[in-house]
Amino acid sequence: MKRIICMLLAAYMAVSLCACASNAQKAPEDAGPIRLVWWTYISTSAPNALDEVLEKANAISAEKIGVTVDMQFKNAEQFTLDLNTGDYYDMTFSCDWCNNFDNNAREGYYYDLTELVRSETPALYDAVGSWWGIGSLGDRIYGVPMLKDLGAEVFFRINSDYFEGEKGMELPESMDFSELEPMLKIWKEDHPNEYPLYMTQSGLSGMFQCHERIVGSYLVIPYSKTGTPEGTKIIPVWEDEDYMNMLRCLHRWYELGYINPDAATTTDMPYSLLTPVRSGTAWTGYKGWSNPETVGFNVKLVRYIGPNMSRSTQQGSLIAVNAAASEEHARACLRYMELLYTDREFRDLLAYGIEGKHFNYYEGTVIRTQQGSDDYLMDNFVTGPAVSASVVSASEEILADSDQWTKVYEEYENARQSDTRGFSFDGSSTDAVRAALSALWENYRSELVTGTVDPDETIKEIEKQMRATGLDQVREEAQRQLDDYLANMQ
Amino acid sequence: MKGRNAHKRVLRASDRSLLLLSLPTVLWYLAFCYLPMFGIVIAFKRYRMIPGKGFLYSLFFGSDWVGLENFRFLFLNPQMGIAVRNTLLYNLCFLILGTTLPVMLAISLSYIRSERLRSVSQSAALLPHFLSWIIVSYFAFSFLSTDKGLFNTILTSVGLSPVRWYQDPSVWPLLLVVIHGWKGFGYSMVLYYSYVVAIDPSLYESAAIDGASAGQMIRHITLPQLRGVITVLVLLNLGHILSSDFGLFYQVTRDSGAILSATETIDVYVYKALMDQSNYGFSAAASLLQNGIGCLLLLGANRLTRRIDPDGGVL
């Protein structure tokens, strides 16, 4: 008996091991509609109501275009790992900061859609219009841009109840970074034990958007140089005077007690802190941070950077197709993306959930219900183009402009366009040096961007170390690539 | 004939059962420890995925050999000397304190008469072992936070000026050693305690009859009896001399840049270097180097131990 139990146990465990090993994913082939595996991004975990929403969406897409999707949510690390181990997908989220589009397209991981998109889905081709360059390398299309805000505009999110209501100040539409100081001073006088510019170790969100990042966060081209001969000259980040001036302000504010002393090691910043000034990247007319029930007070956005535009700001969301997908599946992916661009109700379903349950339409905009906020809340660019979805209002009182995107895109005509004209750096020959440089920059980043240290002194130390590690070698390589790219374009 | 007998002896019925019982473990080791060892080749290749093919195909047929190029990033760091020094010194300190203190605690524990007190102290010491480093990092932060931390609240209440703990590298060697000890000593203590109580009581009885004091019994009975297990644990730890507990050095220090001269270890550097690019070749190279050196050290120390005491060592 004992022997039999032993054998059974051993057999069971051996089978379990084999089962683990053979659990590789294969492309599903159904007899009915084509089922596509779609990888998309989420920083935490898939929304609770995903199955319910997908069931409804799949019924619609199966009927309209003969395609259904199996949507799989991943964070940035999972994307890299799953892509590199060869897991199967049909279409995938890709962008500048996650599942890097340019690198993957350059490596040949994505399907060349250049001819197919014109012949199979002309309506999709027209919808993206003049923006195809975002998803192209050279003259070949490797990804479909999911159009959203394309220029970087960075805003202070300011407590207007306090500054306008109580203090009688007027918050302008835009201001210089340093103009924040008197406001911080007033708040500090009223609340001596609190910090008006509370921040985490990441610093003020979006503050770097005053320059285009070419290599890592340390080799850049300032947007302020656009249109001048220096508009195509790659420099170390500390030579961007606009950025340095912001860092100097932050350090002064830190010393004055406007910034929390633990900023460089703080990881959370909940709304319950009621901090009167926050920062974030959005677009003019955005209402996502304006709900007083969530934030604790009324908020006004005051722009302090932008709109600035470059390849990296434009590559906020794309969908690429797996180079290993069959042509039939590639066509199905394009049809699905076309549906996302052309059918507003279908688009809203994926972006906001089920109407009447997760959201309601109001004055041409969408207002989320509590259930929607709890069970189906994510960035809308991960499920398709933001421009083809309805605009979100914070509440019936805080309405967004339903025609917001037309105005945002009109403003882009006046945005500062980077002179690099869609250039992206190929870092494959400098991997080792870049790794060492990244580590060095990371060593000082939190202290710098939170104002904890004097930027002028710290930069001297960083510069010495980074130059010794090979910063100039990488900068010269990047400059050479950029010069060649611009010469070829001409 | 002799061979057949030997064969029979190996496969006795009870042995066969034992063999079967060990089969899952053997398979587990084969599948998860030996089979993935071929992954070492990643350290010498520039890994590139071939669309539509699996990992193995991409690794062996789609990726180019790059020699020692993947190791280069480790030596480009101008502060690598500090990182290696920190890693070695902390590990040596952990090794020495992590052996002597738990052994002393285990022996003291065995002298506690009250069973209740003994089990309470055992549980209390063991508890921190089960906390994740993230939780520990929050505990530490609640003590060390500049404006709301317990330490600074006490300092300011007695009229002293607050200290920016996360900006001051000089306090961190001590803090890290204390936190590491607090979290790890209990576990080792319980381990050593189980060996202490397993020592044959008749040895102590005869020593007591001969009039030996407690100190003499510890020196001449307990410690010699523990020597085997101490040697094994020290040798095994030597294998990890160049690796460090990422949770302790990255989470507990809250990735504070100002104290890196005291807290950066090789693992922290590798993590920071590869945050921007997921370069599997680089990370494989780093861990191959760390574990390779660790393995050589282990083998060397094992040989030395065997030379001193032929019954000692782990191999």
Side-chain angles (χ1 to χ4, degrees), chain A residues 431-461:
Chain A
D431 278 346
V433 184
R434 284 188 304 116
L437 290 173
S438 289
L440 277 176
W441 181 250
E442 274 303 310
N443 286 353
Y444 297 96
R445 187 186 50 80
S446 299
E447 269 83 16
L448 267 180
V449 298
T450 52
T452 311
V453 290
D454 179 348
D456 291 299
E457 276 180 24
T458 308
I459 285 296
K460 276 185 212 153
E461 179 63 26

Side-chain angles (χ1 to χ4, degrees), chain A residues 324-371:
Chain A
S326 64
E327 189 175 320
E328 190 195 9
H329 275 235
R331 285 177 194 279
C333 290
L334 287 171
R335 287 205 301 279
Y336 199 81
M337 288 186 247
E338 189 173 58
L339 191 65
L340 287 171
Y341 259 107
T342 53
D343 187 328
R344 179 159 299 241
E345 268 185 40
F346 179 71
R347 176 71 194 99
D348 285 346
L349 172 64
L350 274 186
Y352 309 120
I354 297 164
E355 188 192 349
K357 188 170 185 180
H358 299 120
F359 75 92
N360 291 301
Y361 285 111
Y362 185 77
E363 303 273 334
T365 65
V366 156
I367 298 176
R368 286 195 165 96
T369 61
Q370 190 56 48
Q371 195 177 355

